[in-house]
Amino acid sequence: DPLERLCVHESVDEKVPIESFAAALDDLPVPVEIVGDDAGLDETDAVASYRPRDGFIDAGWVHCIRAGYDEFDTEAYEDAGTPLTNSTGIHDTTVGELVVGYMVMFARRLHVYRDKQTRRQWYDPPYDRPFTVDTESVCVVGLGTIGRGVATRASALGMDVVGVRRSDASVEGVSAIYPPDELNEAIGDARFVVLAVPDTPETEGMISTAEFQHMRSDAYLINVARGPVVDEDALISALDDGVIAGAGLDVFRTEPLPESSPLWDFEEVIVSPHQGSTTNCYHRDLAELAEEIFRQYQSGEPLRNRVA
Ligand code: NDP
Ligand code: 7N6
């Protein structure tokens, strides 16, 4: 059945201004309606949502506005035959630039100067602390949209880039690709280890005590993937004990990061509150992708980013 309506679930407003997102979809030849949990849906409805809801399964097509669709029950969608799509493919620049920002901040010590600035302190760092990223190495774990966005930018900065993924297809700017079972070897020489994998049973806790021990003691972990990919207690211990130098974290086991978390207190930890993808154009980027998939559905083509 062709779609007759696109429902934008109210949870979209948690991430982008929902009216702007809906307005960016107004080229579509069907009405776009903002709906709550009580929306009655059938197979002529499409749904775009940030959060999952059981009732979505009755729609003709459900689109998750996140790249990470780990909160959605893909098996239920498969059993019901309702296509589910996600929003991978649009975060190479946004998250790529965030990761560059982290690396350059740590190298050029900007986070320390900003901390001192809040106390009006003119400050000379220990001579051996500042460095430049251009001669350093980065290991990018997960070489999809985000991983490649990081790799091309790091390579343009002069860094040596290696990566980890299951398939061995070569990636521009990446000098060596390791399979997941050689993770320890891949991260062993890196000054920065960047996590850009989805949260799956295989990636949960993939960075824990043993991996921190394989990292250099002057290495920084950067997690822009999902909190559960890192064993957070092991990370806190590794930071406390100087096993690694620091961490740039956009994602956490519990979000918002609880006020009681020790991660707030480390000078060498930079916390960004899951804002890696956020820009003033995010509603438009998300809407363009949803519109493309909507048109594919209407013309019976395979759906881009179909995950169930
Ligand atoms: P992609 O699907 O494009 O890339 C995921 C990559 O991970 C692929 O290269 C895949 O390659 C690799 N991968 C999957 N499983 C493993 C594994 N077990 N070991 C090593 N590599 C693996 O996703 P995106 O790049 O768009 O996004 C990645 C994740 O980042 C999302 O799932 C989401 O959780 C998170 N995210 C966070 C954002 C933020 O705001 N911080 C914004 C957007 C996404 P292969 O199949 O070859 O293994
Ligand atoms: C904002 C979600 C993702 O998975 O976590 C990110 O895409 C950002 C819509």
Side-chain angles (χ1 to χ4, degrees):
D1 290 351
L3 299 168
E4 290 170 12
R5 177 168 77 142
L6 175 58
C7 299
V8 177
H9 185 255
E10 60 191 3
S11 62
V12 165
D13 208 40
E14 289 183 47
K15 215 53 205 184
V16 293
I18 196 164
E19 301 284 356
S20 307
F21 177 73
L25 288 162
D26 70 2
D27 284 350
L28 288 178
V30 297
V32 176
E33 268 175 48
I34 295 170
V35 301
D37 289 342
D38 54 356
L41 300 169
D42 66 37
E43 67 272 16
T44 64
D45 291 313
V47 183
S49 187
Y50 178 66
R51 301 278 181 202
R53 291 288 180 269
D54 291 343
F56 293 169
I57 210 98
D58 299 325
W61 159 52
V62 178
H63 179 66
C64 168
I65 66 155
R66 313 182 78 173
Y69 55 95
D70 42 273
E71 288 182 5
F72 283 72
D73 181 355
T74 50
E75 248 174 62
Y77 281 86
E78 266 152 32
D79 292 347
T82 306
L84 173 70
T85 52
N86 77 344
S87 296
T88 191
I90 60 172
H91 302 100
D92 47 344
T93 303
T94 50
V95 182
E97 287 190 4
L98 179 82
V99 172
V100 167
Y102 274 133
M103 294 193 295
V104 173
M105 275 181 86
F106 284 126
R108 308 303 305 128
R109 316 304 293 154
L110 292 173
H111 58 304
V112 178
Y113 304 145
R114 181 70 203 204
D115 286 349
K116 303 291 180 194
Q117 185 185 338
T118 63
R119 296 187 287 276
R120 298 176 176 268
Q121 277 175 17
W122 187 261
Y123 164 81
D124 289 321
Y127 183 73
D128 59 353
R129 292 309 298 275
F131 60 101
T132 58
V133 297
D134 68 328
T135 51
E136 298 291 344
S137 50
V138 55
C139 175
V140 184
V141 184
L143 288 167
T145 299
I146 292 176
R148 290 195 303 265
V150 172
T152 51
R153 284 168 180 76
S155 169
L157 286 169
M159 302 178 78
D160 181 42
V161 186
V162 301
V164 179
R165 72 181 303 178
R166 291 166 305 178
S167 56
D168 60 4
S170 70
V171 174
E172 200 189 311
V174 182
S175 63
I177 295 182
Y178 296 82
D181 63 0
E182 290 174 22
L183 177 67
N184 286 339
E185 213 181 318
I187 62 181
D189 289 330
R191 190 73 191 268
F192 298 97
V193 173
V194 178
L195 304 178
V197 286
D199 177 1
T200 66
E202 298 87 68
T203 63
E204 226 153 86
M206 87 192 284
I207 303 293
S208 188
T209 310
E211 290 70 31
F212 290 122
Q213 273 156 3
H214 276 90
M215 285 171 65
R216 289 165 47 169
S217 58
D218 62 356
Y220 290 88
L221 178 75
I222 295 176
N223 188 5
V224 289
R226 282 288 184 268
V229 175
V230 175
D231 176 342
E232 215 164 272
D233 295 329
L235 170 63
I236 292 163
S237 299
L239 292 164
D240 265 332
D241 300 341
V243 176
I244 63 168
L249 305 170
D250 194 47
V251 290
F252 304 87
R253 178 173 57 198
T254 305
E255 294 180 11
L257 181 63
E259 219 183 300
S260 59
S261 172
L263 291 171
W264 292 109
D265 299 321
F266 291 98
E267 181 169 77
E268 292 305 308
V269 170
I270 304 173
V271 169
S272 51
H274 203 147
Q275 300 298 327
S277 61
T278 318
T279 70
N280 54 355
C281 295
Y282 200 21
H283 65 288
R284 188 202 62 198
D285 298 344
L286 289 167
E288 275 173 11
L289 177 62
E291 195 174 315
E292 178 186 337
I293 303 174
F294 181 97
R295 294 190 192 282
Q296 289 169 336
Y297 186 100
Q298 293 298 62
S299 57
E301 290 168 43
L303 305 184
R304 177 176 171 187
N305 288 359
R306 185 163 180 175
V307 294

mmCIF file of all heavy atoms in Angstrom, residues 138-143 161-165 174-179 186:
data_model
loop_
_atom_site.group_PDB
_atom_site.id
_atom_site.type_symbol
_atom_site.label_atom_id
_atom_site.label_comp_id
_atom_site.label_asym_id
_atom_site.label_seq_id
_atom_site.Cartn_x
_atom_site.Cartn_y
_atom_site.Cartn_z
ATOM 1 N N VAL A 138 46.340 7.374 15.103
ATOM 2 C CA VAL A 138 44.993 7.173 15.622
ATOM 3 C C VAL A 138 44.482 5.831 15.123
ATOM 4 O O VAL A 138 44.708 5.459 13.966
ATOM 5 C CB VAL A 138 44.049 8.354 15.228
ATOM 6 C CG1 VAL A 138 44.017 8.599 13.740
ATOM 7 C CG2 VAL A 138 42.624 8.117 15.733
ATOM 8 N N CYS A 139 43.826 5.096 16.017
ATOM 9 C CA CYS A 139 43.172 3.844 15.628
ATOM 10 C C CYS A 139 41.665 4.081 15.693
ATOM 11 O O CYS A 139 41.131 4.427 16.753
ATOM 12 C CB CYS A 139 43.557 2.707 16.573
ATOM 13 S SG CYS A 139 42.656 1.194 16.188
ATOM 14 N N VAL A 140 40.997 3.918 14.572
ATOM 15 C CA VAL A 140 39.557 4.151 14.494
ATOM 16 C C VAL A 140 38.843 2.794 14.511
ATOM 17 O O VAL A 140 38.991 2.003 13.573
ATOM 18 C CB VAL A 140 39.192 4.935 13.216
ATOM 19 C CG1 VAL A 140 37.710 5.253 13.213
ATOM 20 C CG2 VAL A 140 40.021 6.216 13.107
ATOM 21 N N VAL A 141 38.105 2.541 15.565
ATOM 22 C CA VAL A 141 37.422 1.252 15.715
ATOM 23 C C VAL A 141 35.999 1.412 15.183
ATOM 24 O O VAL A 141 35.178 2.109 15.779
ATOM 25 C CB VAL A 141 37.422 0.801 17.193
ATOM 26 C CG1 VAL A 141 36.807 -0.587 17.322
ATOM 27 C CG2 VAL A 141 38.845 0.809 17.756
ATOM 28 N N GLY A 142 35.739 0.799 14.029
ATOM 29 C CA GLY A 142 34.467 1.008 13.317
ATOM 30 C C GLY A 142 34.702 1.985 12.189
ATOM 31 O O GLY A 142 34.992 3.154 12.434
ATOM 32 N N LEU A 143 34.634 1.492 10.953
ATOM 33 C CA LEU A 143 34.973 2.359 9.808
ATOM 34 C C LEU A 143 33.756 2.574 8.910
ATOM 35 O O LEU A 143 33.816 2.399 7.692
ATOM 36 C CB LEU A 143 36.133 1.746 9.017
ATOM 37 C CG LEU A 143 37.495 1.810 9.721
ATOM 38 C CD1 LEU A 143 38.499 0.909 9.027
ATOM 39 C CD2 LEU A 143 38.000 3.246 9.779
ATOM 40 N N VAL A 161 46.756 6.715 10.317
ATOM 41 C CA VAL A 161 45.448 6.182 10.702
ATOM 42 C C VAL A 161 45.390 4.678 10.456
ATOM 43 O O VAL A 161 45.655 4.224 9.343
ATOM 44 C CB VAL A 161 44.310 6.859 9.885
ATOM 45 C CG1 VAL A 161 42.949 6.404 10.415
ATOM 46 C CG2 VAL A 161 44.430 8.372 9.908
ATOM 47 N N VAL A 162 45.066 3.923 11.486
ATOM 48 C CA VAL A 162 44.747 2.507 11.299
ATOM 49 C C VAL A 162 43.308 2.315 11.778
ATOM 50 O O VAL A 162 42.733 3.203 12.418
ATOM 51 C CB VAL A 162 45.705 1.563 12.065
ATOM 52 C CG1 VAL A 162 47.142 1.779 11.624
ATOM 53 C CG2 VAL A 162 45.558 1.721 13.566
ATOM 54 N N GLY A 163 42.720 1.159 11.432
ATOM 55 C CA GLY A 163 41.326 0.966 11.801
ATOM 56 C C GLY A 163 40.989 -0.478 12.078
ATOM 57 O O GLY A 163 41.777 -1.385 11.800
ATOM 58 N N VAL A 164 39.789 -0.663 12.670
ATOM 59 C CA VAL A 164 39.278 -1.995 12.985
ATOM 60 C C VAL A 164 37.871 -2.105 12.419
ATOM 61 O O VAL A 164 37.055 -1.198 12.602
ATOM 62 C CB VAL A 164 39.228 -2.225 14.522
ATOM 63 C CG1 VAL A 164 38.669 -3.610 14.836
ATOM 64 C CG2 VAL A 164 40.598 -2.036 15.148
ATOM 65 N N ARG A 165 37.607 -3.187 11.715
ATOM 66 C CA ARG A 165 36.254 -3.514 11.268
ATOM 67 C C ARG A 165 36.208 -4.991 10.936
ATOM 68 O O ARG A 165 37.248 -5.638 10.835
ATOM 69 C CB ARG A 165 35.854 -2.671 10.054
ATOM 70 C CG ARG A 165 36.588 -3.083 8.785
ATOM 71 C CD ARG A 165 36.215 -2.245 7.603
ATOM 72 N NE ARG A 165 34.783 -2.262 7.333
ATOM 73 C CZ ARG A 165 34.222 -1.551 6.347
ATOM 74 N NH1 ARG A 165 34.968 -0.790 5.570
ATOM 75 N NH2 ARG A 165 32.937 -1.619 6.132
ATOM 76 N N VAL A 174 43.238 5.207 5.484
ATOM 77 C CA VAL A 174 43.529 4.232 6.552
ATOM 78 C C VAL A 174 44.640 3.304 6.076
ATOM 79 O O VAL A 174 44.496 2.614 5.064
ATOM 80 C CB VAL A 174 42.266 3.416 6.912
ATOM 81 C CG1 VAL A 174 42.562 2.444 8.055
ATOM 82 C CG2 VAL A 174 41.114 4.350 7.283
ATOM 83 N N SER A 175 45.765 3.294 6.797
ATOM 84 C CA SER A 175 46.941 2.563 6.296
ATOM 85 C C SER A 175 46.877 1.068 6.592
ATOM 86 O O SER A 175 47.494 0.269 5.902
ATOM 87 C CB SER A 175 48.229 3.163 6.874
ATOM 88 O OG SER A 175 48.243 3.023 8.271
ATOM 89 N N ALA A 176 46.142 0.652 7.619
ATOM 90 C CA ALA A 176 46.023 -0.786 7.915
ATOM 91 C C ALA A 176 44.678 -1.042 8.574
ATOM 92 O O ALA A 176 44.220 -0.235 9.398
ATOM 93 C CB ALA A 176 47.150 -1.224 8.861
ATOM 94 N N ILE A 177 44.046 -2.154 8.179
ATOM 95 C CA ILE A 177 42.746 -2.507 8.772
ATOM 96 C C ILE A 177 42.880 -3.856 9.479
ATOM 97 O O ILE A 177 43.368 -4.824 8.907
ATOM 98 C CB ILE A 177 41.643 -2.548 7.700
ATOM 99 C CG1 ILE A 177 41.446 -1.141 7.136
ATOM 100 C CG2 ILE A 177 40.332 -3.086 8.288
ATOM 101 C CD1 ILE A 177 40.368 -1.010 6.099
ATOM 102 N N TYR A 178 42.481 -3.883 10.746
ATOM 103 C CA TYR A 178 42.571 -5.087 11.569
ATOM 104 C C TYR A 178 41.176 -5.660 11.800
ATOM 105 O O TYR A 178 40.221 -4.893 11.974
ATOM 106 C CB TYR A 178 43.174 -4.754 12.937
ATOM 107 C CG TYR A 178 44.596 -4.251 12.898
ATOM 108 C CD1 TYR A 178 44.881 -2.917 12.613
ATOM 109 C CD2 TYR A 178 45.655 -5.112 13.179
ATOM 110 C CE1 TYR A 178 46.182 -2.450 12.600
ATOM 111 C CE2 TYR A 178 46.970 -4.651 13.170
ATOM 112 C CZ TYR A 178 47.216 -3.315 12.881
ATOM 113 O OH TYR A 178 48.506 -2.859 12.872
ATOM 114 N N PRO A 179 41.045 -6.984 11.879
ATOM 115 C CA PRO A 179 39.767 -7.578 12.274
ATOM 116 C C PRO A 179 39.568 -7.424 13.780
ATOM 117 O O PRO A 179 40.551 -7.225 14.518
ATOM 118 C CB PRO A 179 39.932 -9.053 11.887
ATOM 119 C CG PRO A 179 41.401 -9.296 11.911
ATOM 120 C CD PRO A 179 42.074 -7.994 11.588
ATOM 121 N N ALA A 186 45.799 -3.603 17.125
ATOM 122 C CA ALA A 186 45.425 -2.369 16.418
ATOM 123 C C ALA A 186 45.566 -1.138 17.308
ATOM 124 O O ALA A 186 46.016 -0.084 16.856
ATOM 125 C CB ALA A 186 43.989 -2.491 15.905
#
